[in-house]
Amino acid sequence: MPAAEPVAPFADSELSDLFDRFSAEPALVLAVSGGPDSMGMMAAAARWRAALGSGPVLHVASVDHGLRAASADECAAVMQSATALGLEAATLAWTGDKPSAGLQEAARAARYSLLADHARTVGARLVMTAHTITDQAETVMMRLTRGSGPLGLKAMAAESPRDGVVIVRPFLWERGERLAATAEAQGLTPVLDPSNADDRFARVRMRKLLAALEGEGLDAERLAILAGRMRMVDEALRHGASALAEASRMASIVPGAQVFDATKWRDQPLATIQMLLSIALAEAGDPAIAERLDAIEMLSGTILMAIDGHMAHRETLRGALISVTPEGRVIIAREPPRRAGGIAAPPQGSIDASGS
């Protein structure tokens, strides 16, 4: 078999295409773990900024989760590489107790929170990550195995708000090999994280599954295209849900509470109603609680049955209280704090569900 052609690092013209939209920013935070992808991103951004001669100050940030003995040394290596490139750099430590369950999700949340805090400190509104098309494909596969709908299968966006900053992912359509080659061309030595080969982690198992599926034609590019198509479906559903919400919205005198005349939902597509509920719960509930598509599906069916039967219904979901009146009003508000003994305190104020 012929030897594989060497992978080329990003050319200067490609870096302009990837980064020039950030040139007016006063500062950019680069989230660098030390792996080949993020080290390549750091090298690419440094080259782009040097060629530009002006533009944002680049601040490298490496998060030490404290979960492995070598993590501090790995962050130190990132600091050394960033300093060699003439970039500002800081290690951000995740301190305090670590959860025994859901550790990876908690570590991810802590990482973004620390990065957002650092961005505010250095005067940046953007945090750049090195997510690639492979990361996108793995995310789609992980969510597909969990039965996600369009909201989950749209996977990662090129830009998304989080913790008061905007996460930007300029490499979502690029392969990690290009980033690794860019790091190597700059003389940077990436850190090899042993967890990337540990089958205990779902993303590692998905990576191996993807390698097997490529032979059947389901490669990273096709999964990324699927994510893009699901994003368009999601946008269409959000548009329909917004129109339905405005058409059925009623007055409320309780801050943060939403009231709808859900009798107007009867002839609407179920997917539109589910999206309306998803948006309303995200606004009224606890953002730290992840959405479950099956719960939204069950809630929408329960509400429609209650309306048809002129019955009252009350339940909580995602930190929000959902109430249905016999007249067909749906009231969504933040779940009230619980008193001692586990009894929910009544909400302050009242809600006008009469439409007057």
Side-chain angles (χ1 to χ4, degrees):
M1 294 180 61
E5 293 186 7
V7 177
F10 286 104
D12 289 344
S13 60
E14 293 177 294
L15 296 183
S16 294
D17 292 339
L18 289 165
F19 293 143
D20 276 359
R21 65 183 183 274
F22 308 125
S23 59
E25 296 292 328
L28 281 174
V29 171
L30 310 180
V32 181
S33 65
D37 294 351
S38 63
M39 292 288 269
M41 176 187 70
M42 180 172 68
R47 266 181 51 206
W48 165 75
R49 178 61 178 77
L52 199 63
S54 61
V57 178
L58 302 182
H59 296 266
V60 172
S62 189
V63 176
D64 181 2
H65 292 97
L67 300 177
R68 294 184 292 107
S71 62
D73 291 339
E74 292 166 359
C75 288
V78 171
M79 297 299 102
Q80 184 176 5
S81 295
T83 301
L85 292 173
L87 307 181
E88 301 287 334
T91 296
L92 314 177
W94 182 28
T95 58
D97 296 333
K98 310 297 192 294
S100 56
L103 181 59
Q104 278 201 315
E105 184 60 36
R108 187 177 301 110
R111 175 174 180 251
Y112 280 115
S113 178
L114 288 166
L115 289 168
D117 287 344
H118 186 64
R120 284 185 283 270
T121 298
V122 301
R125 70 178 190 93
L126 305 181
V127 174
M128 185 181 295
T129 70
H131 289 113
T132 67
I133 192 170
T134 302
D135 298 311
Q136 184 76 303
E138 291 167 2
T139 301
V140 173
M141 284 295 295
M142 290 173 68
R143 295 180 179 179
L144 187 63
T145 60
R146 296 170 187 165
S148 291
L151 182 64
L153 294 181
K154 69 180 184 178
M156 293 181 284
E159 296 188 5
S160 57
R162 180 159 184 164
D163 294 326
V165 298
V166 179
I167 308 300
V168 294
R169 305 176 178 92
F171 298 99
L172 270 185
W173 285 97
E174 305 293 343
R175 291 194 170 271
E177 292 87 350
R178 298 290 309 281
L179 284 167
T182 302
E184 183 180 1
Q186 201 73 28
L188 303 182
T189 303
V191 172
L192 298 179
D193 185 347
S195 67
N196 287 332
D198 192 335
D199 284 343
R200 291 178 299 174
F201 298 115
R203 189 168 289 274
V204 176
R205 298 194 300 273
M206 287 300 113
R207 191 170 303 141
K208 293 181 178 180
L209 179 58
L210 272 172
L213 289 173
E214 282 187 3
E216 301 297 330
L218 187 60
D219 57 11
E221 183 175 353
R222 289 191 176 180
L223 285 168
I225 290 172
L226 172 63
R229 289 170 176 162
M230 289 299 100
R231 187 165 296 280
M232 289 189 289
V233 171
D234 181 77
E235 289 172 358
L237 287 174
R238 286 180 180 275
H239 180 77
S242 177
L244 180 58
E246 288 307 307
S248 60
R249 195 181 304 279
M250 302 179 70
S252 166
I253 61 172
V254 176
Q258 302 182 56
V259 183
F260 301 97
D261 177 3
T263 61
K264 296 180 179 180
W265 297 359
R266 283 194 176 108
D267 60 347
Q268 296 298 312
L270 188 57
T272 303
I273 298 170
Q274 290 170 359
M275 180 59 78
L276 187 160
L277 291 170
S278 172
I279 295 170
L281 291 174
E283 292 173 350
D286 185 348
I289 302 176
E291 180 176 76
R292 287 175 34 238
L293 179 60
D294 58 342
I296 293 288
E297 291 170 342
M298 186 173 297
L299 174 63
S300 60
T302 300
I303 288 174
L304 291 175
M305 286 190 292
I307 293 168
D308 286 341
H310 304 284
M311 298 181 297
H313 177 74
R314 183 181 172 98
E315 68 174 274
T316 59
L317 183 63
R318 288 197 73 188
L321 175 65
I322 304 100
S323 302
V324 184
T325 72
E327 298 78 25
R329 308 294 188 257
V330 171
I331 306 160
I332 300 176
R334 187 67 180 258
E335 183 181 9
R338 295 186 174 273
R339 292 174 175 169
I343 301 173
Q348 298 297 313
S350 59
I351 296 173
D352 178 4
S354 67
S356 60

